Amino acid sequence: MADVTELLLYAASRCQHVDQIIRPALAADQPVVCDRYADSSLAYQGYGRGLDLALVGLVNKLATGDCLPDMTVYLDLPVKAAAARRGARAGDADRVERAGEELQERVKQGYRQISEQRPGSSLLVDASKDVQQQSDFIRAELDRRWPSFPFKG
């Protein structure tokens, strides 16, 4: 598959998700938690695959419009540790996982750069810590940023 095709397929899926799920939830004043949003395309297709970042940004804007997250959480883990975790899962590796550690390292660095460029709307989490520590850290940051965060209780 061509790299631009990959970008457009993810964008098409994201556009549909925004239209059918995210915008209606926001219109109903519901909180939205979404896995792998537009920054994933910047990281994977831009930094990882080497597509022009401005092009990826333009495609993301077309797909999502003005629907941007208030905060993005980035789980930061060394590439080898991530590979070991994936290896422990059942099932075959997907095409991105099969692309190898060099791509994964570019993606990791891309996510770090994106996070650094958006200090007010990003949260970089050390994913080498245990799940409870990660969860507590994220929850504390949500509570700090939004004292009336809707998931309290």
Side-chain angles (χ1 to χ4, degrees):
M1 178 184 312
D3 294 341
V4 172
T5 302
E6 182 179 75
L7 169 66
L8 294 172
L9 287 171
Y10 282 118
S13 175
R14 190 168 292 122
C15 182
Q16 196 68 24
H17 188 73
V18 167
D19 188 58
Q20 288 185 326
I21 306 293
I22 297 175
R23 284 193 194 282
L26 294 174
D29 214 20
Q30 300 267 324
V32 175
V33 176
C34 182
D35 180 30
R36 302 213 178 210
Y37 199 60
D39 286 352
S40 293
S41 288
L42 277 175
Y44 280 91
Q45 284 73 50
Y47 289 94
R49 300 279 191 206
L51 294 180
D52 181 77
L53 295 177
L55 171 68
V56 176
L58 181 63
V59 170
N60 275 338
K61 185 172 177 60
L62 179 65
T64 63
D66 60 351
C67 193
L68 298 174
D70 292 316
M71 185 171 89
T72 302
V73 177
Y74 303 95
L75 300 177
D76 189 46
L77 187 66
V79 170
K80 290 199 183 295
R85 286 185 186 178
R86 282 192 307 273
R89 286 190 324 225
D92 296 330
D94 66 27
R95 72 184 290 283
V96 174
E97 292 166 349
R98 288 190 308 268
E101 286 186 8
E102 287 181 15
L103 175 100
Q104 297 299 326
E105 187 61 43
R106 291 191 303 270
V107 168
K108 174 185 169 43
Q109 294 308 317
Y111 274 126
R112 285 182 146 263
Q113 287 183 31
I114 295 165
S115 177
E116 289 168 5
Q117 293 166 2
R118 300 179 187 153
S121 65
S122 69
L123 178 63
L124 192 63
V125 178
D126 181 355
S128 65
K129 294 183 178 181
D130 71 56
V131 173
Q132 189 60 54
Q133 287 177 306
Q134 293 175 60
S135 177
D136 291 346
F137 178 73
I138 293 167
R139 183 58 176 264
E141 187 62 21
L142 291 172
D143 289 343
R144 186 188 72 75
R145 291 183 189 201
W146 296 283
S148 61
F149 189 66
F151 296 129
K152 290 198 181 276

